[in-house]
């Protein structure tokens, strides 16, 4: 590229700021030359370049100097004008512009902008509280908002904002069906998928082929609570100096694709709930959900201490992650026994904190599993009976 052409890349949080895609994995260039009726000559060339998830061809796993030069060679050379590059990947953006100061991050969409986008796409004056609740469930993600508005608009008056929200919350199956809906948007690249889940899964597949260890880390993190994922719990398979470096490389890949973000502290991470959901649906398609449920159960079982007073601080930190174990009932009997032990332990902490409804639910599930795996007279089963009785008594139910 000529030195006197200006280049800038937007490495956006594609889950929030914009949704651009290219399923072929090639760089796509659109030329926009604007000519005014008062001007006999075209204005300076304004070029938009969309760099998709892939920065390498499908059969290539290493970036070479020639390939980088080829990418730059397709960009126009001019004595004036500018090149705007939009990419899902910060790495791809850096590869094409070469300097951090030329990379502008597209920040997550605010609630106000999300509301304005939804109103523009849907029209009308729906109940604002219902709309805002829907937007929160969609994590303020533009593609998800646009698709939800299009779905409601096409099916009105039978489908309303409230009905869409109820269907979205009803079950994972219904949520997946809605997020797989792909209403065509003529302003998006015609080769890009309009399905929210399919758009993410392009990135997942690229990460899996380019850096499998990062895809495994993403898979594990999708089972945690979306906020405050402790580094210590996701580095259990990284041991030794080389492996720790491997973890840093893996987490950087996920951050580059805006799938994971740093939390309030540098040793915790956050994820969008819809990214986690999309990851689990992707694992379901690959028949890997059970494997990662089992891995998650083992991690929580080893990390969550007895719910006694001296452990309350650690229990409080881990509780949002530990209570999710309730949703991950395994099939294997060995893991089922461990699952019941985790539930029993977490239920005791919930009981000590006065969260009796949560404690009752966990104790009932633990008791049911222990009766099936261990039998009614096993000491662990009898412990669950006693714990459940204590919770019911405190609630005045027995």
């Amino acid at each position: 590229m000529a030195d006197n052409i200006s280049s800038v890349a937007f490495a956006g949080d594609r889950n929030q700021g914009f949704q651009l895609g290219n399923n072929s994995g090639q760089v796509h260039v659109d030329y926009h030359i604007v000519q005014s009726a008062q001007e006999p000559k075209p204005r300076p060339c304004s070029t938009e370049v969309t760099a998709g998830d892939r920065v390498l061809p499908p059969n290539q796993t290493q970036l070479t100097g020639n390939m980088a030069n080829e990418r730059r060679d397709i960009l126009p050379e001019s004595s004036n004008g500018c090149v705007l590059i939009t990419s899902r990947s910060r790495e791809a953006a850096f590869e094409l512009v070469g300097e951090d100061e030329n990379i502008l991050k597209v920040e997550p969409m605010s609630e106000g902008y999300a509301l304005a986008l939804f109103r523009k796409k849907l029209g009308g004056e729906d109940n604002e509280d219902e709309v805002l609740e829907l937007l929160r469930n969609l994590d303020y993600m533009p593609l998800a908002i646009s698709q939800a508005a299009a779905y409601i608009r096409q099916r009105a008056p039978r489908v309303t904002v409230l009905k869409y929200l109820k269907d979205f919350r009803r079950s994972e199956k219904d949520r997946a069906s809605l997020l797989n809906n792909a209403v065509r948007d003529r302003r998006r690249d015609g080769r890009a998928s309009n399905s929210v889940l399919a758009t993410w899964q392009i990135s997942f597949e690229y990460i899996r082929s380019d850096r499998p260890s990062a895809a495994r880390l993403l898979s594990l993190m999708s089972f945690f609570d979306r906020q405050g994922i402790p580094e210590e719990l996701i580095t259990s398979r990284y041991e030794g100096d080389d492996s720790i470096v491997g973890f840093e490389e893996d987490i950087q890949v996920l951050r580059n694709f805006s799938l994971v973000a740093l939390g309030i502290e540098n040793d915790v991470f956050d994820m969008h709930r819809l990214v986690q959901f999309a990851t689990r649906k992707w694992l379901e398609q690959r028949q890997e959900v059970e494997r990662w449920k089992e891995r998650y159960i083992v991690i929580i079982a080893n990390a969550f201490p007895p719910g006694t007073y001296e452990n309350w601080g650690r229990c409080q930190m881990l509780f949002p992650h530990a209570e999710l174990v309730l949703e991950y009932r395994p099939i294997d009997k060995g893991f089922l026994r461990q699952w019941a032990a985790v539930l029993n332990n977490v239920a005791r902490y919930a009981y000590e904190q006065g969260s009796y409804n949560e404690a009752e639910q966990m104790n009932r599930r633990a008791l049911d599993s222990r009766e099936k795996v261990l039998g009614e007279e096993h000491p662990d089963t009898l412990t669950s009976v006693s714990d459940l009785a204590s919770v019911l008594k405190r609630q005045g139910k027995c």
Side-chain angles (χ1 to χ4, degrees), residues 1 5-10 27-34 43-51 71-86 97:
M1 186 190 302
I5 189 168
S6 172
S7 302
V8 62
F10 285 87
V27 175
H28 173 61
V29 182
D30 289 323
Y31 299 94
H32 301 280
I33 300 178
V34 182
R43 292 177 182 175
C45 177
S46 172
T47 305
E48 295 182 8
V49 181
T50 299
R71 256 191 235 52
R72 284 190 286 269
D73 287 344
I74 70 172
L75 301 177
E77 296 186 7
S78 173
S79 59
N80 54 18
C82 62
V83 178
L84 172 65
I85 302 169
T86 55
V97 301

Side-chain angles (χ1 to χ4, degrees), residues 319 323 326 347 350 354-363 395:
F319 186 75
E323 66 176 341
L326 187 65
S355 301
Y356 301 126
N357 290 333
E358 290 86 347
E360 178 186 350
Q361 187 179 15
M362 292 179 188
N363 277 316
Q395 292 175 301

